[in-house]
Amino acid sequence: MSPRREPVPFAFVSEADRFRSNVTPPPRERASVGRMAGRCLLGLTIVAGLVGSLILGMPALSISHSPAQTPQSQASPGH
């Protein structure tokens, strides 16, 4: 038995997967020098912020392996 296809009410729906347009979209507009400089400046600002927060946050993230020192009293025990 051959597989039975459902009837399609509109012909363009069944042909939509193989339809190719012959209309090309307009070419993309080139970014201006100011816009490219703004993007670079924004990227550098974001990277500098991340690096700065990492540098400032490193002391808080580091684990101190030095042994805890107990404070010594300077008063003599006999007085």
Side-chain angles (χ1 to χ4, degrees):
M1 292 185 128
S2 65
R4 199 170 129 176
R5 296 187 67 171
E6 295 292 323
V8 179
F10 300 103
F12 67 88
V13 174
S14 64
E15 296 176 3
D17 55 348
R18 51 190 165 188
F19 177 75
R20 296 280 183 180
S21 175
N22 60 353
V23 178
T24 59
R28 291 185 62 179
E29 212 176 285
R30 294 197 68 181
S32 66
V33 176
R35 181 164 290 200
M36 286 174 49
R39 288 178 185 169
C40 289
L41 187 62
L42 179 65
L44 286 174
T45 304
I46 291 171
V47 169
L50 290 173
V51 169
S53 65
L54 185 65
I55 289 172
L56 292 176
M58 284 303 285
L61 295 174
S62 66
I63 298 173
S64 173
H65 291 296
S66 63
Q69 297 178 355
T70 57
Q72 299 279 334
S73 173
Q74 294 189 2
S76 62
H79 292 221

